[in-house]
Amino acid sequence: MRQPKGEMCPRFEKAVNILSQRWTALVIYQMLESPKRFGEIQSAIGVSGKVLSDRLKNMEQEGLIKRDVYPETPVIIEYSLTQKGESLEPVLRDIENWSKEWIEKPGTAKETVE
């Protein structure tokens, strides 16, 4: 059932808050194809180690990712999406498609379509 006009659905608001945290959607996007190690994520999106560590912890608490530790020498830690995290793929693909049509590439000017 839809919320009355002017009222924000608390669940929708929480979802938008989670995805709008800086770097979160990009981290999820990186893991859509396969699990990733910390360094792979960091170099792919250019985020600082501290911020990435904080985001990964938050995402794990939200149930979007899981952290797998392999007791080898050296220890290997991989991050992968949970079912909840994987379910965001269509949302992120839709944003990706939207951006291809509506967001101009850096250094170019796109005509406004009205």
Side-chain angles (χ1 to χ4, degrees), residues 78-108:
E78 273 189 342
Y79 297 91
S80 59
L81 296 173
T82 61
Q83 184 177 1
K84 183 178 179 179
E86 288 173 350
S87 71
L88 288 167
E89 182 170 9
V91 175
L92 295 178
R93 296 294 183 201
D94 283 347
I95 293 171
E96 178 182 37
N97 291 333
W98 179 86
S99 73
K100 287 176 182 175
E101 183 174 347
W102 294 102
I103 304 298
E104 60 189 60
K105 289 182 182 177
T108 64

Side-chain angles (χ1 to χ4, degrees), residues 3-57:
Q3 291 290 113
K5 271 196 164 186
E7 288 187 34
M8 180 76 68
C9 170
R11 292 162 82 173
F12 177 80
E13 184 176 7
K14 179 166 181 164
V16 169
N17 285 336
I18 290 169
L19 287 176
S20 66
Q21 283 186 329
R22 187 153 187 192
W23 306 109
T24 298
L26 294 176
V27 170
I28 294 169
Y29 186 83
Q30 286 299 311
M31 286 191 264
L32 288 176
E33 300 300 321
S34 64
K36 299 283 189 266
R37 294 175 65 179
F38 188 95
E40 291 177 292
I41 300 167
Q42 186 177 22
S43 63
I45 63 176
V47 61
S48 77
K50 180 185 179 342
V51 172
L52 179 56
S53 180
D54 289 346
R55 287 298 169 272
L56 291 170
K57 286 176 188 170

